[in-house]
Amino acid sequence: MTEKREGGNARTNVCVVGGGPAGLLLGLLLAKRGTEVVVLEGHPNFDREFRGEVLQPSTARLLDQIGLLEYILDQPHLMLTEGKLRVHGRVAAGFTFKKISPEYPYAIWMPQPIFLEALAKKAATFPGFACWMGAHVNALIEADGKVVGVKGLRQGKEPFEIRADVVVGADGRHSTIRRLGGFAIEYEHHDLDIVWFVVDPPPDWAKTIYFSVGTIPSMLLLPKYPNQIQVGILMHKDEWKEWRAEGVPAVADRLRRLDPLFVPFADRLHDFTPFFPLSAVITLVRDWARDGLLLIGDAAHTMSPAGAIGVNVAIATATVAAQVIYPRLGHGTIPREALAEVQRLREDDVRTLHRLQLGAQRVLLARPSANPLVRWLRPRLLRLALRSPLLPRLQRRLFFGAPLPPIDPAFSFREGAQARLASSSAHRA
């Protein structure tokens, strides 16, 4: 059994660095199979603000496959069944998840702290699982070129050392493990920043997803549990610095002109505290694995906010990683060649989604033209594009994703799944 002391040394099968959605789901799936897992989370709690709160139909399908969908839907959430596109402030088109993914005709809006607490609570029911909060990794332990563990501090003062068959870096877009492991970036695109803030909805506001284009800048308007609107203003890189340099009154005036929805918020604005700027970087790591070390989630493939798919892509990679790692435990350090199977199974999907996101960003970041003909044509061409028969296919690819490899029923939390597996195996024998 994994050592669960507050500090000191420990030996475990799997050490996961990062207690976000990918890290906790990986830990949960492995613990379900009897694996000893330690998850190290740098924050003292699971509070997250403006972090991947939309679970798209692809994740609903995945959660259903592993028998966790009903459990997650028992947590506080909003169910989103449609999205709308606003052009120059008016609704010009829309989509329903029923048409995009009739199998799972909704997205789930769930505050990330609630989602993470639910995963951690479920994982804590297994004796091999431990989650150390406030645990910061500052070094890898290596032997003969292989990663065999990590060192760090808990609560900033208690040193710890954990040795494991494999260390998994699931510590986000600014991954410490990626830096310590010397992983190279294949490509990185940083054209877009997004500035998040929250406003109160008007009485007639529909709780759905709005993509707002035609305004400068473009915006995302998302329902935020339980009854607010989360606004994301999409800006060119470093443009927010220019806004801030103009001062609070100038920013408030910009917001009033951008959309009447923001007038009450702007009238109460006294400083920049309500704003949360996020660098929307698209990144792909060249190789996700070394001997004894694997990157997943944003540590391996950072997504932009376009399409609100980042957390969903990370969760899919975590599920694949669980299936790759589990059968290779118990034989010492897992070699790079085995861990690289995760990248082989997931990389094509990630690259495709990156291309779709970059295409969407070019539309969202289009600057106003000085040519009156271009200004007249642009919204009309956009409306034509929205009627294209290709659009539903692109939407399905973005929100419903590519099917994952078959998931071993032994990972399922659904009652009777393993019994059915055993019965099937006996029948085949």
Side-chain angles (χ1 to χ4, degrees):
M1 182 174 175
T2 300
E3 173 62 60
K4 296 187 181 181
R5 288 183 294 166
E6 293 293 300
N9 300 332
R11 180 71 177 84
T12 190
N13 297 133
V14 180
C15 177
V16 181
V17 182
L24 281 175
L25 182 63
L26 174 62
L28 169 60
L29 291 172
L30 291 173
K32 165 71 170 57
R33 300 296 304 273
T35 301
E36 295 176 357
V37 184
V38 175
V39 175
L40 304 176
E41 169 54 40
H43 293 84
N45 53 53
F46 290 127
D47 284 350
R48 301 286 192 276
E49 193 63 56
F50 305 119
R51 304 286 182 89
E53 298 186 328
V54 180
L55 304 178
Q56 298 287 4
S58 60
T59 296
R61 172 181 58 189
L62 189 156
L63 291 171
D64 194 22
Q65 288 175 327
I66 60 177
L68 285 177
L69 183 57
E70 290 184 9
Y71 171 70
I72 293 300
L73 291 178
D74 283 341
Q75 317 305 318
H77 69 281
L78 297 175
M79 194 74 82
L80 309 180
T81 59
E82 63 178 356
K84 297 181 184 296
L85 183 76
R86 300 163 89 222
V87 178
H88 294 291
R90 295 184 178 182
V91 174
F95 64 85
T96 65
F97 284 113
K98 187 175 181 179
K99 287 187 176 181
I100 294 172
S101 57
E103 309 94 320
Y104 299 91
Y106 53 83
I108 304 164
W109 181 277
M110 180 174 291
Q112 193 164 111
I114 292 175
F115 184 59
L116 297 180
E117 289 284 0
L119 294 178
K121 183 179 178 180
K122 177 69 76 171
T125 63
F126 299 101
F129 180 85
C131 183
W132 294 5
M133 304 302 292
H136 290 270
V137 172
N138 53 34
L140 299 175
I141 304 172
E142 300 191 41
D144 300 324
K146 301 175 182 178
V147 175
V148 296
V150 297
K151 294 180 180 180
L153 292 175
R154 187 159 180 184
Q155 311 303 342
K157 58 185 179 181
E158 301 172 5
F160 66 82
E161 178 178 308
I162 297 179
R163 291 180 178 259
D165 293 342
V166 62
V167 173
V168 180
D171 51 341
R173 61 180 54 227
H174 304 296
S175 173
T176 297
I177 298 301
R178 184 173 67 205
R179 174 177 56 81
L180 292 174
F183 289 93
I185 302 296
E186 178 173 334
Y187 60 73
E188 181 174 285
H189 300 277
H190 182 192
D191 307 314
L192 169 71
D193 290 333
I194 187 164
V195 179
W196 295 109
F197 59 98
V198 174
V199 301
D200 295 323
D204 58 347
W205 187 260
K207 289 182 179 179
T208 190
I209 303 171
Y210 291 86
F211 301 90
S212 190
V213 298
T215 57
I216 304 297
S218 300
M219 299 178 291
L220 298 176
L221 303 171
L222 308 170
K224 184 174 179 63
Y225 182 88
N227 188 36
Q228 290 180 302
I229 302 172
Q230 180 174 319
V231 181
I233 298 181
L234 308 179
M235 298 185 170
H236 288 85
K237 179 183 176 182
D238 296 330
E239 187 177 354
W240 176 239
K241 294 179 182 178
E242 300 172 9
W243 280 38
R244 283 185 62 111
E246 296 175 359
V248 174
V251 170
D253 193 47
R254 279 179 177 268
L255 293 177
R256 292 186 191 97
R257 296 196 306 269
L258 187 59
D259 198 302
L261 179 67
F262 305 149
V263 171
F265 172 84
D267 289 345
R268 298 191 303 269
L269 191 63
H270 301 293
D271 55 37
F272 292 111
T273 304
F275 299 102
F276 184 92
L278 175 68
S279 298
V281 180
I282 292 176
T283 301
L284 183 72
V285 174
R286 178 172 294 120
D287 296 304
W288 303 359
R290 289 179 47 190
D291 288 336
L293 181 60
L294 172 68
L295 301 181
I296 65 171
D298 278 358
H301 46 67
T302 307
M303 314 301 289
S304 92
I309 59 172
V311 66
N312 303 272
V313 180
I315 285 172
T317 302
T319 305
V320 170
Q323 299 205 116
V324 169
I325 288 171
Y326 177 76
R328 294 167 173 85
L329 293 171
H331 306 287
T333 300
I334 301 179
R336 185 197 69 80
E337 291 78 9
L339 296 173
E341 179 73 359
V342 177
Q343 183 172 358
R344 188 187 71 79
L345 292 170
R346 291 290 301 135
E347 185 175 6
D348 285 348
D349 185 38
V350 170
R351 288 180 182 272
T352 297
L353 292 171
H354 277 170
R355 288 193 293 269
L356 291 175
Q357 287 192 317
L358 289 169
Q361 286 182 186
R362 284 191 287 272
V363 175
L364 294 171
L365 291 175
R367 293 188 183 275
S369 174
N371 186 320
L373 178 60
V374 172
R375 289 201 305 270
W376 181 84
L377 275 175
R378 183 174 284 166
R380 288 159 176 81
L381 291 174
L382 181 58
R383 289 186 177 93
L384 283 175
L386 293 174
R387 299 189 188 102
S388 167
L390 291 176
L391 186 61
R393 294 171 61 184
L394 290 174
Q395 291 170 331
R396 181 175 174 84
R397 184 65 182 81
L398 190 66
F399 297 131
F400 198 56
L404 295 179
I407 298 174
D408 186 340
F411 284 99
S412 177
F413 292 81
R414 188 174 288 111
E415 291 184 9
Q418 285 189 304
R420 289 192 298 272
L421 175 66
S423 175
S424 175
S425 299
H427 179 73
R428 287 195 301 270

